[in-house]
Amino acid sequence: MFHVKQSPISVPENCLLCDNKELIKHHELQDYFLTRESFSIYRCPACDLMFTWPRPAAHELSAYYKSKEYISHSNKKSDLQSRIYQLIRNHTLRQKIRLIRQFSRGNQILDIGCATGEFLNQCKKKGYTATGVEPDEQARGYASGVHGLNVSDTGNLNSMSPSTFDVITLWHVLEHVGDLNERMEQIYRLLKPEGYAFIALPNPRSYDASYYGKYWAAWDVPRHLFHFNRSSVKYLARKHRFEIADIRPMLFDSYYISLLSEKYMNHSLYFVRAAYRGFISNFMAGMGNNEYSSLIYILRKPGVKIKAADAT
């Protein structure tokens, strides 16, 4: 098993979002997915952002994704877990497009972190002009070669023309981004004045996060550099001149995250256990606090006149 050189700083000096220097250790846990290396989760009491520490150097982080089991960068269907993921993904792709159409009638869409391009391919079939960026070369090649999509490296975001896109999506991507402030500024610059950004994130305040604790698969350290809740997203949005137009749940995530978490705990009958915990998580959220396993934050620039599409 490989090991990469991590930051020599044992304790983070400041919050990477608000620069607050009084931080609280929230969790100590392992990379159960790949390396078994140990990491900590720190929380900033000022903006409520949580982040993984220590952080691998930027040029070494890609090593933590180099696994055939990292499903979002592959299309393998050889095992049951992968087949379940593919079935759920195909269903949620249609849901995502329906959600986008509730808010925007424009057809210029950018998917940041598009992986193998399954979502963008569905958008293209529905008449969107689809553009993607993806840091992983192999996934990028699949999206371009197999689906014929316009996909480039993430570094090209800075060279794209401003106010180009009606819709910008990040489906479970922002938590992987090293420089949150730069990425949010890129989104603001590229979005049209009446455009919308859809940002899906795991929710550490969900029932399944509380139940599984350090085994909660959506911690996914160190691939997930940041961990967001409603408060920290609100702070992030306000800092970068956005307002939150709406927040929607991703109902299937509780089941899939529970499935991985059960496997990390080496439980028998983990499919049955995961189905039960996933259901309980959605039930608890639906009964009151709306803290689903994953949430979609829908952002827009302030002062945008709400269009008829928003109310459908």
Side-chain angles (χ1 to χ4, degrees):
M1 180 60 64
F2 74 91
H3 292 279
V4 301
K5 183 180 179 181
Q6 299 175 354
S7 168
I9 303 174
S10 59
V11 178
E13 297 177 339
N14 59 285
C15 174
L16 301 176
L17 177 58
C18 72
D19 203 37
N20 174 46
K21 293 177 173 55
E22 296 180 5
L23 306 174
I24 301 169
K25 183 177 284 190
H26 183 76
H27 260 316
E28 290 187 1
L29 64 164
Q30 293 181 352
D31 173 13
Y32 293 104
F33 171 72
L34 188 59
T35 68
R36 293 284 173 172
E37 291 178 343
S38 296
F39 297 88
S40 297
I41 304 291
Y42 280 83
R43 184 178 73 85
C44 172
C47 68
D48 229 11
L49 180 70
M50 291 190 285
F51 50 93
T52 300
W53 200 266
R55 301 175 65 173
H59 67 281
E60 296 172 326
L61 187 58
S62 62
Y64 286 94
Y65 294 86
K66 298 303 181 183
S67 169
K68 294 179 180 179
E69 304 302 316
Y70 196 70
I71 296 176
S72 69
H73 285 173
S74 73
N75 274 291
K76 71 168 194 170
K77 300 179 182 178
S78 57
D79 59 63
L80 183 58
Q81 178 181 314
S82 299
R83 290 196 296 270
I84 291 173
Y85 176 85
Q86 302 287 342
L87 288 172
I88 292 174
R89 183 176 66 178
N90 291 338
H91 177 73
T92 58
L93 290 178
R94 296 187 292 270
Q95 289 185 320
K96 289 173 181 176
I97 294 174
R98 284 197 295 268
L99 175 62
I100 288 169
R101 285 181 167 172
Q102 290 181 28
F103 289 84
S104 175
R105 296 293 186 237
N107 71 342
Q108 296 285 340
I109 188 167
L110 169 67
D111 189 25
I112 297 177
C114 67
T116 53
E118 308 306 318
F119 168 71
L120 276 184
N121 189 44
Q122 289 299 313
C123 290
K124 185 175 73 170
K125 291 178 180 179
K126 296 296 183 180
Y128 286 92
T129 300
T131 303
V133 294
E134 167 57 44
D136 184 81
E137 183 178 2
Q138 184 176 354
R140 192 167 64 237
Y142 186 97
S144 300
V146 175
H147 294 311
L149 294 166
N150 176 21
V151 177
S152 59
D153 187 70
T154 311
N156 288 347
L157 286 171
N158 287 328
S159 62
M160 293 180 177
S161 299
S163 302
T164 297
F165 299 100
D166 301 287
V167 174
I168 297 179
T169 57
L170 297 90
W171 305 114
H172 287 300
V173 168
L174 193 62
E175 61 268 37
H176 298 262
V177 173
D179 192 333
L180 291 178
N181 296 309
E182 179 185 26
R183 185 53 45 85
M184 293 301 292
E185 286 300 309
Q186 290 168 335
I187 294 169
Y188 189 92
R189 186 181 69 85
L190 294 174
L191 205 59
K192 290 181 180 181
E194 295 188 356
Y196 288 85
F198 296 77
I199 303 177
L201 296 164
N203 180 19
R205 290 185 175 173
S206 64
Y207 166 84
D208 47 290
S210 175
Y211 177 79
Y212 288 111
K214 66 180 183 179
Y215 293 102
W216 188 51
W219 291 123
D220 200 21
V221 294
R223 288 160 294 277
H224 288 189
L225 301 173
F226 297 98
H227 314 275
F228 300 87
N229 55 44
R230 293 171 187 263
S231 298
S232 54
V233 174
K234 183 178 180 179
Y235 185 100
L236 179 69
R238 184 172 62 248
K239 178 178 180 179
H240 293 281
R241 297 162 289 167
F242 285 105
E243 63 182 18
I244 299 176
D246 205 351
I247 302 174
R248 300 290 182 89
M250 300 189 78
L251 297 177
F252 283 101
D253 278 28
S254 64
Y255 296 99
Y256 188 71
I257 292 172
S258 294
L259 176 64
L260 294 178
S261 303
E262 291 287 343
K263 289 186 68 176
Y264 293 164
M265 297 177 76
N266 293 316
H267 281 163
S268 60
L269 300 174
Y270 60 88
F271 273 98
V272 177
R273 291 174 179 266
Y276 174 72
R277 291 300 168 190
F279 170 80
I280 293 297
S281 185
N282 285 338
F283 178 80
M284 296 291 286
M287 288 298 291
N289 63 11
N290 289 316
E291 298 289 2
Y292 290 89
S293 187
S294 291
L295 297 170
I296 303 172
Y297 297 88
I298 304 167
L299 276 54
R300 65 184 176 208
K301 296 179 180 180
V304 172
K305 184 179 179 181
I306 299 175
K307 297 177 286 186
D310 296 346
T312 60

